[in-house]
Amino acid sequence: MPESAANRSIIRKCLFPVAGYGTRFLPATKSMPKEMLPIVNKPLIQYAAEEAMEAGLHDLGFVTGRNKRAIADHFDLSYELEKEIAGTGKEKQLESINQVMETCTFTYTRQRRMLGLGHAVLTGETMINDQAFGLVLADDLCVTENGDPGVLSQLVELYRQFRCTILAVQEVPDSEVHKYGVVAGESLKEDVIRVTDMVEKPSADQAPSNLAVIGRYILTPDIFDTLRKTEPGKNDEIQLTDAILAQARSGCVMAYKFKGRRFDCGSIPGFVEASQWVYENLHKKR
């Protein structure tokens, strides 16, 4: 029986590209995935999975690489540990990860060669098929306060309205635009822009705006065919930015100035800032 239009608007899957080497955190990441670096007592990848779970995306797919087995182990039972702490107060410390494990399903595939974010997304196609899906870069830790929905939940709500690719964006200083994909377009309302231009890591004088894409997306499944046709771009990699720009030119892409705060945990200063903020605002209040 064909799905109803209402059911097709519900996004169930989320993709996590986690194959990168994490060279900015060497030597810590020589044998440990950067996504397993803890913000206080919880690894980055768990924060990302919890954000997807809150948004109703319970089918989680991971595009992994060599030396990334710890991620799959984290989302699995640990019989020896659980037996050791059974009946003690330490069991409570596993409640959050156990909730993720009980709620979500987990699928893994390997990206054998690092050919860009676009290539990583294309590698995950078999875990997504023909459905719209979330894409989360765990390097970006996004937090909200006062019971506000997470950033991915906000994007899902917009997808229900526009039924197209949705990007989370924020304003950044001109001196930092070279670190991001940058968008420009027609403002539909204060926090929603219809994208007409998008450039990967431009110099300040070439940037179309100061609106930077951060690591939260809703992508429509035609992105895979578009990526297959996308030639290598900046750094001779297959850039997701280039494929999304093609979507914008042939159809519709929306950028959304999300509500919340984002920390760049792919950099050491951002990682330290995130750890301090989480400890002061979340951990100490438990």
Side-chain angles (χ1 to χ4, degrees), residues 76-105:
D76 200 355
L77 297 175
S78 176
Y79 292 105
E80 295 84 357
L81 171 64
E82 292 174 35
K83 180 179 179 181
E84 184 69 24
I85 66 175
T88 73
K90 293 181 180 179
E91 284 183 305
K92 185 175 179 61
Q93 293 174 256
L94 292 179
E95 286 181 354
S96 63
I97 183 60
N98 285 340
Q99 183 182 7
V100 176
M101 289 163 51
E102 291 165 4
T103 304
C104 300
T105 61

Side-chain angles (χ1 to χ4, degrees), residues 80-259:
E80 295 84 357
L81 171 64
E82 292 174 35
K83 180 179 179 181
E84 184 69 24
I85 66 175
T88 73
K90 293 181 180 179
E91 284 183 305
K92 185 175 179 61
Q93 293 174 256
L94 292 179
E95 286 181 354
S96 63
I97 183 60
N98 285 340
Q99 183 182 7
V100 176
M101 289 163 51
E102 291 165 4
T103 304
C104 300
T105 61
F106 306 88
T107 310
Y108 303 88
T109 191
R110 277 197 175 188
Q111 183 184 15
R112 291 187 293 273
R113 297 165 61 200
M114 305 297 107
L115 299 176
L117 178 57
H119 180 262
V121 172
L122 191 54
T123 300
E125 181 180 11
T126 55
M127 298 186 289
I128 301 298
N129 298 320
D130 61 350
Q131 303 174 38
F133 62 100
L135 178 70
V136 172
L137 308 186
D139 285 359
D140 283 337
L141 175 64
C142 294
V143 294
T144 54
E145 299 181 86
N146 304 318
D148 290 338
V151 174
L152 205 56
S153 293
Q154 297 171 41
L155 299 189
V156 168
E157 189 60 34
L158 271 181
Y159 174 78
R160 289 193 174 105
Q161 179 180 353
F162 292 106
R163 304 291 182 88
C164 67
T165 287
I166 313 285
L167 317 175
V169 297
Q170 67 175 172
E171 294 182 358
V172 299
D174 291 343
S175 60
E176 295 186 11
V177 294
H178 67 282
K179 301 177 182 179
Y180 303 93
V182 177
V183 305
E186 172 193 0
S187 181
L188 301 185
K189 50 185 179 179
E190 183 179 359
D191 55 359
V192 179
I193 300 98
R194 179 165 183 158
V195 175
T196 58
D197 196 11
M198 192 171 179
V199 182
E200 178 65 18
K201 297 180 180 177
S203 60
D205 60 330
Q206 294 179 326
S209 76
N210 69 336
L211 282 176
V213 181
I214 64 104
R216 299 294 184 275
Y217 309 72
I218 300 295
L219 297 172
T220 51
D222 57 301
I223 193 68
F224 297 118
D225 284 338
T226 305
L227 283 167
R228 271 187 282 275
K229 300 171 187 174
T230 300
E231 296 293 329
K234 196 174 185 70
N235 299 326
D236 202 32
E237 296 178 336
I238 298 175
Q239 298 293 344
L240 180 62
T241 295
D242 295 340
I244 293 175
L245 177 58
Q247 282 188 320
R249 287 174 171 169
S250 64
C252 179
V253 172
M254 296 293 177
Y256 171 63
K257 297 179 184 178
F258 63 92
K259 297 176 177 63

